[in-house]
Amino acid sequence: MLGSLQHIVQEVNSTKNLNQVLALIVQRVKESITADACSIYLYDKNDLNFTLMATQGLNNTQVGQIKMGYGTGLVTLVAEQTDPINLSDAQEHPRFKLFTTLNEERFHGFVGVPISHHREVLGVLVAQSEASIHFSQDVVYFIITIAAQLASAIINAQARNQIEALSHPKKNLTRKYSAISQKHRPLMGQPGAPGVALGKAISINSSFDLNAIPDKSIENIAQEEEIFRCALEVVRKDVKALSFQLLSDGLPTEDVAIFDAYLLMLESNTLIDNTIERIQAGNWAAGALRETITEHIKLFSEMDNPYLQERIKDIKDLGQCIYNQMLDINESPLQKLSHDSIIVADDISATVLADIEKIHIAGIVLKNGSRTSHVAILARAMGIPTVVGVSELPIMQLDGSAMVADGYSGKVYISPSKNIIKEYSHLISQEKELSAQLLELTDKPAMTIDGVTIPLYANSGLIAGMTVSQENGAEGIGLYRTEYPFMIRQRFPGEQEQTATYQTVMASMAPKPVVLRTLDIGGDKSLNYFPIKEDNPFLGWRGIRVTLDHPEIFMTQLRAMLIASIGHNNLHILFPMISNVDELEESIKLLRRSQIGLLAEGYKINAPKIGVMVEVPSLIFQMRTIAPLVDFFSIGTNDLIQYLMAVDRNNANVAYLYESLNPAVLIAIKKIIDDTHKENKPVSVCGEMASDPLAVILLLGMSIDSLSTSVTSLPKIKWLIRNFTHQEAKELLAEVLTMKNAHEIKKMLIAQLENKGLGGLIRAGH
Ligand code: PEP
Ligand code: MG
């Protein structure tokens, strides 16, 4: 059964259409467990019923007709209990409901298993037997395993069908499932960067996924044939050259034999002819290639020969090479970007974002990530409305579709209706009005009604951010992430290159303060020229741990910062990921050594202010020993929350646990602020919590000394502070600290903002 499990999952993942996916599952499960019937019922959110979607063994003319609401039938009982039900005679159960039209009378044995996705029951998978028998434990666990693995395939197929239905309404006449026809159901993700985008999707296929290549009809068959043949020829030549090279490098012939196998595949008539046939039938080259490769994979996976099974990976690799080559022949999707483009991708790199910076696109929608992923932080800095973690995003299928992305709620509408476009266009114009109004606050202080001032600094990392920071009224740079200039290069930047970068930052802000953070690579910030491969990168070699292990890299950076500060005297150096006093002492020692060296070389440098990031929870309990060594503290809430809550800040599956308003997080931050104040040291928040209006009310109540926000959030945070009294914030904090969860806290704070007419801070519109 284990072998068939892998086959079923593989086959299902390469099947595109929802009805085909479901039909395949029931057929394969029935064969694998030798049941007399196997059926799938899916929950239809529109009419609140479980609908029979596919069956093998029952009367299949009833597919789409049999419906059961909660409270009726055994199928719904499985969903209600979210637990399998295994009965030797279902007909004796009080909840059994006989559907004579299904010819169900002859069935007795029954096993039903819920199909769940992220705690939601999508449907029920049922197997039945004519004999009155209990299904064995093996069978039950087989069905549970299948159901668990298929939930996301069903979700993806549903999303694909929905999009298909929107782009080809006429083709979809045979749809039986009304939830899919619920045209304007948005895809749900996480808010990444505030704002609303209305535009056209441009798909970027960053990670190759054969199944993600859509079908596309073509006009010019000859051109697609040419694209395919050219790509094939380039790959063939590359493989030949590589095999020759490896042989001349002395690699044994048997190790190079795999390339001969590749060449045979590349030259095989089945690969070439089948793909060409599919192009001639009207599919574009990439779609035709996908069909051929999928067919090969299916053929090989059906053979119970381990050697041939191993070759599946080779076929996929070859498919990838040919496809990549086709992308090179075609225009790069980035060249198609314009002001109304919405990038749709799995993930995008800092390099791509740096390129996009000059184009001013409308929005970004990503399958991966969460609010504090670095891509979301960059997007926020660039003011691009962004939605992240849209798990059911069929990337390649969306290319060219009209789209609305709401960076406040995380909703993404595909081919939105006229009403939705109208509604969002209205919200966009309200947003513009609000931004214009907020700009009037640029030169005003971030002062509460009762006279408490909270200086607002900007987070940055890209040079272009400086002008925008000034325009938005930043009183300095509270966090300059130096890793970005490292990420967009092909090697470590040298002392002079770094000096030039930091000089631009400090000169453009002087005399306002600039906090330069030392290199914080690792985690999700990788340098392609310095790969770090670890099982748990966020718990591994990151930030100060890397730079202390590489004093040559660290000291080059420290020297560049010090030299760049000459004449500006606004340098603050911040150390990331410090978890104990020794790391801090060692960092300060290297800083002092750099200073002494530069003074000896004749540079007239002043001592910078030294700060430490509080982002590893162990520091919460070491304030007293750390404080005498530093001039200031900066709370990195992005990592602090990730480590306190044990939730990977990039993992969309657990994003719901990443909650800055969780009482534990609030109590921890309050303790940090109270303890630093006891030690007479200033403390700021530079994590994304400082850009979240709800959290800022509470930080104000905790008497935070300053905030460093994303540039585009800064005017909104100032507006918020100017509408509260410090006393009011303290009272709200006291009330919040009696509450038991983030949900309650959020509800109360949202009501406060709406009451004050500040709702535009947390949702689209005024
Ligand atoms: C943080 O962790 O809050 C922080 C500001 O650092 P980064 O997001 O760059 O890890
Ligand atoms: Mg951090």
Side-chain angles (χ1 to χ4, degrees):
M1 261 193 278
L2 197 65
S4 28
L5 191 95
Q6 282 159 358
H7 286 168
I8 298 174
V9 172
Q10 189 141 35
E11 268 189 286
V12 164
N13 281 336
S14 57
T15 306
K16 307 222 114 207
N17 170 288
L18 177 66
N19 289 332
Q20 285 168 6
V21 165
L22 302 176
L24 191 80
I25 297 172
V26 290
Q27 186 187 338
R28 292 287 183 259
V29 172
K30 179 172 173 277
E31 285 164 5
S32 308
I33 61 173
T34 51
D36 298 312
C38 181
S39 318
I40 290 183
Y41 297 80
L42 288 191
Y43 186 60
D44 183 337
K45 283 184 191 156
N46 245 11
D47 69 1
L48 309 181
N49 275 316
F50 283 82
T51 307
L52 177 68
M53 293 297 294
T55 184
Q56 277 276 319
L58 300 182
N59 177 4
N60 68 10
T61 62
Q62 292 300 296
V63 166
Q65 308 298 323
I66 298 293
K67 289 175 182 283
M68 271 174 272
Y70 271 106
T72 50
L74 268 175
V75 167
T76 51
L77 185 62
V78 173
E80 286 157 33
Q81 295 183 350
T82 57
D83 210 18
I85 292 181
N86 186 2
L87 301 169
S88 59
D89 194 349
Q91 303 203 14
E92 286 182 356
H93 195 282
R95 277 286 289 264
F96 180 72
K97 183 167 159 49
L98 180 71
F99 286 97
T100 44
T101 49
L102 280 178
N103 303 334
E104 223 183 351
E105 296 86 339
R106 60 200 162 97
F107 293 100
H108 296 277
F110 173 101
V111 59
V113 168
I115 306 171
S116 309
H117 185 71
H118 288 305
R119 302 184 189 187
E120 191 189 339
V121 180
L122 304 178
V124 178
L125 180 57
V126 175
Q128 288 169 281
S129 68
E130 291 184 8
S132 292
I133 46 145
H134 267 114
F135 281 93
S136 71
Q137 286 292 303
D138 272 2
V139 166
V140 176
Y141 282 106
F142 175 81
I143 301 180
I144 291 177
T145 316
I146 283 276
Q149 294 209 36
L150 294 178
S152 58
I154 290 175
I155 284 275
N156 287 335
Q158 277 179 342
R160 282 199 296 262
N161 255 38
Q162 189 187 354
I163 286 144
E164 179 91 347
L166 292 167
S167 33
H168 307 286
K170 290 200 190 84
K171 260 171 87 182
N172 222 43
L173 292 175
T174 56
R175 265 189 333 241
K176 294 161 187 148
Y177 186 45
S178 66
I180 300 157
S181 69
Q182 190 192 338
K183 282 196 172 187
H184 304 300
R185 181 178 79 85
L187 301 180
M188 281 310 297
Q190 298 275 324
V196 175
L198 177 61
K200 201 170 95 182
I202 301 281
S203 303
I204 300 181
N205 197 8
S206 49
S207 67
F208 175 83
D209 174 5
L210 196 70
N211 301 320
I213 304 173
D215 292 327
K216 271 192 205 170
S217 0
I218 45 165
E219 308 264 292
N220 193 337
I221 291 179
Q223 186 183 323
E224 292 300 310
E225 273 192 40
E226 184 62 13
I227 288 175
F228 170 63
R229 286 190 195 278
C230 282
L232 201 67
E233 186 51 22
V234 176
V235 174
R236 210 178 58 80
K237 279 192 180 143
D238 283 355
V239 172
K240 255 196 159 142
L242 187 62
S243 127
F244 183 71
Q245 164 88 44
L246 293 174
L247 276 175
S248 24
D249 287 352
L251 220 71
T253 327
E254 56 274 22
D255 286 353
V256 184
I258 182 66
F259 294 101
D260 292 335
Y262 278 10
L263 285 173
L264 276 178
M265 284 188 220
L266 285 167
E267 284 157 10
S268 85
N269 286 342
T270 24
L271 175 72
I272 303 173
D273 295 351
N274 290 358
T275 310
I276 295 288
E277 248 170 50
R278 288 175 166 127
I279 293 175
Q280 284 170 351
N283 204 354
W284 68 318
L289 175 73
R290 185 209 71 235
E291 287 186 75
T292 308
I293 298 283
T294 315
E295 190 181 68
H296 272 62
I297 292 174
K298 191 166 163 241
L299 215 72
F300 276 50
S301 61
E302 278 165 7
M303 299 179 193
D304 274 330
N305 174 331
Y307 175 79
L308 290 177
Q309 297 254 350
E310 274 294 300
R311 299 281 72 79
I312 291 177
K313 192 179 165 304
D314 300 335
I315 299 173
K316 277 189 188 160
D317 286 350
L318 268 187
Q320 165 154 16
C321 292
I322 304 171
Y323 180 55
N324 288 350
Q325 203 51 50
M326 283 181 190
L327 286 183
D328 284 351
I329 293 169
N330 281 311
E331 182 188 22
S332 149
L334 288 182
Q335 286 166 3
K336 294 193 279 180
L337 292 178
S338 66
H339 67 281
D340 73 338
S341 302
I342 300 179
I343 288 190
V344 177
D346 274 329
D347 212 342
I348 45 177
S349 65
T351 328
V352 169
L353 270 173
D355 282 347
I356 293 169
E357 204 181 6
K358 298 148 217 146
I359 307 173
H360 298 294
I361 55 165
I364 298 175
V365 175
L366 301 179
K367 191 166 190 159
N368 299 334
S370 67
R371 201 186 127 77
T372 51
S373 315
H374 281 90
V375 53
I377 292 174
L378 276 174
R380 219 167 299 141
M382 290 157 69
I384 307 174
T386 299
V387 177
V388 289
V390 189
S391 51
E392 37 174 328
L393 194 68
I395 295 162
M396 295 313 285
Q397 218 168 337
L398 292 176
D399 196 38
S401 310
M403 184 180 263
V404 165
D406 183 338
Y408 293 98
S409 65
K411 287 183 183 157
V412 176
Y413 293 87
I414 293 142
S415 304
S417 66
K418 280 201 187 106
N419 279 345
I420 288 179
I421 294 181
K422 199 167 142 207
E423 193 184 319
Y424 273 99
S425 306
H426 181 59
L427 291 173
I428 290 173
S429 59
Q430 285 194 349
E431 290 254 291
K432 284 196 181 135
E433 275 168 36
L434 180 61
S435 309
Q437 279 170 24
L438 293 183
L439 279 185
E440 289 168 16
L441 301 178
T442 308
D443 298 322
K444 304 215 164 91
M447 196 200 304
T448 60
I449 301 170
D450 50 356
V452 174
T453 306
I454 312 285
L456 293 185
Y457 303 113
N459 288 351
S460 182
L462 301 169
I463 297 285
M466 295 306 126
T467 337
V468 197
S469 305
Q470 305 267 32
E471 284 166 5
N472 282 290
E475 293 170 61
I477 299 296
L479 171 66
Y480 184 89
R481 291 181 164 94
T482 57
E483 44 284 357
Y484 294 143
F486 279 69
M487 284 161 90
I488 56 177
R489 288 194 162 77
Q490 295 311 316
R491 57 166 174 76
F492 282 111
E495 184 178 302
Q496 281 172 9
E497 285 163 301
Q498 290 191 56
T499 306
T501 307
Y502 307 147
Q503 233 157 17
T504 317
V505 179
M506 281 187 271
S508 61
M509 294 308 290
K512 294 173 181 162
V514 170
V515 180
L516 295 184
R517 182 176 70 182
T518 63
L519 191 62
D520 182 21
I521 50 168
D524 67 339
K525 287 175 288 189
S526 58
L527 305 177
N528 48 21
Y529 51 88
F530 188 66
I532 301 173
K533 292 252 173 295
E534 292 176 317
D535 285 345
N536 288 306
F538 277 110
L539 297 182
W541 205 44
R542 251 202 94 174
I544 207 75
R545 303 169 184 185
V546 177
T547 45
L548 285 180
D549 284 353
H550 280 279
E552 73 291 359
I553 297 173
F554 197 32
M555 302 255 298
T556 305
Q557 183 174 44
L558 293 170
R559 280 174 60 91
M561 289 177 174
L562 292 166
I563 298 171
S565 74
I566 296 173
H568 309 305
N569 297 331
N570 52 354
L571 173 63
H572 294 53
I573 293 182
L574 182 63
F575 297 120
M577 284 295 291
I578 297 280
S579 62
N580 63 37
V581 183
D582 298 345
E583 283 171 335
L584 180 61
E585 281 176 344
E586 184 64 18
S587 307
I588 295 174
K589 197 166 94 192
L590 292 175
L591 174 62
R592 298 285 176 238
R593 200 188 294 165
S594 309
Q595 280 173 271
I596 292 167
L598 287 171
L599 288 170
E601 288 169 42
Y603 287 100
K604 304 254 173 304
I605 49 164
N606 286 334
K609 293 250 187 295
I610 299 175
V612 70
M613 288 201 70
V614 189
E615 53 185 345
V616 180
S618 61
L619 272 213
I620 304 176
F621 311 101
Q622 300 178 78
M623 287 301 171
R624 202 176 38 78
T625 41
I626 297 272
L629 302 174
V630 297
D631 299 299
F632 67 99
F633 287 94
S634 192
I635 309 177
T637 49
N638 304 340
D639 281 313
L640 186 67
I641 298 170
Q642 130 163 298
Y643 297 129
L644 271 178
M645 303 301 296
V647 46
D648 176 344
R649 62 195 261 190
N650 277 330
N651 186 337
N653 282 333
V654 286
Y656 68 97
L657 288 171
Y658 189 101
E659 193 41 91
S660 55
L661 296 178
N662 182 293
V665 173
L666 299 176
I667 292 167
I669 294 177
K670 184 169 182 309
K671 176 168 166 53
I672 298 168
I673 298 175
D674 290 346
D675 287 0
T676 51
H677 286 168
K678 272 186 214 146
E679 302 297 325
N680 290 321
K681 292 284 152 85
V683 57
S684 171
V685 170
C686 66
E688 291 306 299
M689 206 165 157
S691 307
D692 173 357
L694 299 181
V696 168
I697 304 176
L698 303 178
L699 294 173
L700 186 61
M702 294 179 197
S703 303
I704 191 79
D705 297 305
S706 61
L707 296 171
S708 190
T709 77
S710 75
V711 185
T712 45
S713 311
L714 198 142
K716 288 189 171 179
I717 298 300
K718 189 184 281 187
W719 188 39
L720 175 114
I721 293 174
R722 290 176 63 87
N723 276 283
F724 272 85
T725 64
H726 187 212
Q727 186 54 32
E728 210 179 340
K730 282 201 231 171
E731 284 162 17
L732 284 173
L733 174 69
E735 194 180 336
V736 155
L737 289 177
T738 64
M739 295 181 171
K740 72 172 193 298
N741 61 33
H743 175 71
E744 242 178 80
I745 298 174
K746 201 180 269 178
K747 205 165 123 201
M748 191 271 264
L749 294 172
I750 289 175
Q752 286 292 323
L753 288 187
E754 293 288 0
N755 278 345
K756 282 181 180 280
L758 301 176
L761 286 169
I762 42 160
R763 52 162 170 74
H766 268 302

